[in-house]
């Protein structure tokens, strides 16, 4: 899997889709958790069409290893089966909502196969969702080994 290294990751912050705009419909905590559950189902079920729909084009995905992916790299690693998410479970989730932006923080326990090697990873994470055009989009993930 080709991942960008942290040193090459310098770029502008993603567009939050009108986070400061008036009239943007707020996300509820329930909507954010439902979207996160749908993402987990898409990843463990290999539903690449769903991933392409729900992931923002500006997705920034920081793995617990410190490696960085964008939307296409993250999906391609799964499509090629370089990375296979077998189970994804979260606990201690807390959701903070800022209008059309929701930040989920918590713990995760993921069973994943990376380049043919089965692993169980325990992480601390944040996941950021934004409402764009009425739909929720997954725009950021940052995980650290727990």
């Amino acid at each position: 899997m080709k991942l960008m290294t942290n040193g090459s990751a310098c770029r502008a912050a993603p567009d939050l889709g009108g986070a400061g705009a008036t009239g943007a419909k707020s996300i509820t905590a329930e909507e954010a958790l439902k979207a996160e559950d749908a993402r987990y189902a898409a990843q463990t079920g290999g539903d690449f069409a769903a991933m392409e729909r729900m992931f923002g084009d500006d997705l920034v995905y920081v793995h617990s290893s410190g490696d960085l992916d964008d939307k296409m790299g993250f999906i391609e690693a799964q499509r090629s089966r370089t990375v296979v998410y077998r189970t994804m479970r979260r606990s201690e989730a807390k959701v903070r909502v800022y209008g059309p932006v929701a930040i989920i923080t918590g713990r995760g326990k993921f069973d994943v196969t990376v380049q043919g090697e089965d692993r169980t990873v325990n992480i601390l994470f944040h996941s950021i969702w934004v409402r764009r055009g009425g739909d929720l989009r997954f725009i950021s993930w940052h995980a650290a080994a727990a």
Side-chain angles (χ1 to χ4, degrees):
M1 155 171 57
K2 183 168 174 26
L3 301 174
M4 296 182 292
T5 63
N6 288 337
S8 66
C10 296
R11 64 184 196 181
D15 171 21
L16 295 180
T22 58
K25 184 179 174 198
S26 291
I27 297 173
T28 67
E30 294 77 22
E31 285 178 307
L33 291 172
K34 184 177 176 182
E36 188 78 349
D37 288 341
R39 178 176 76 85
Y40 289 7
Q43 287 184 228
T44 58
D47 188 344
F48 305 111
M51 285 184 244
E52 288 176 12
R53 275 191 315 275
M54 72 178 67
F55 295 3
D57 289 340
D58 55 346
L59 175 66
V60 175
Y61 196 101
V62 181
H63 297 264
S64 60
S65 64
D67 289 331
L68 178 67
D69 264 323
D70 60 9
K71 175 182 177 175
M72 296 319 299
F74 185 58
I75 293 172
E76 182 53 36
Q78 293 172 79
R79 184 177 278 125
S80 69
R81 300 193 54 83
T82 301
V83 176
V84 177
Y85 288 89
R86 299 187 320 274
T87 62
M88 299 172 73
R89 296 174 300 279
R90 72 168 178 269
S91 61
E92 301 177 39
K94 294 182 180 153
V95 182
R96 294 174 287 150
V97 174
Y98 304 96
V101 178
I103 302 170
I104 305 168
T105 55
R107 293 183 177 276
K109 182 175 182 180
F110 296 175
D111 294 315
V112 61
T113 303
V114 179
Q115 297 178 340
E117 180 186 325
D118 290 344
R119 302 176 186 175
T120 297
V121 293
N122 294 292
I123 59 169
L124 299 171
F125 73 88
H126 84 240
S127 181
I128 302 177
W129 289 82
V130 63
R131 184 179 304 280
R132 289 185 177 148
D135 297 318
L136 298 190
R137 297 285 181 253
F138 173 55
I139 63 164
S140 184
W141 172 267
H142 191 130

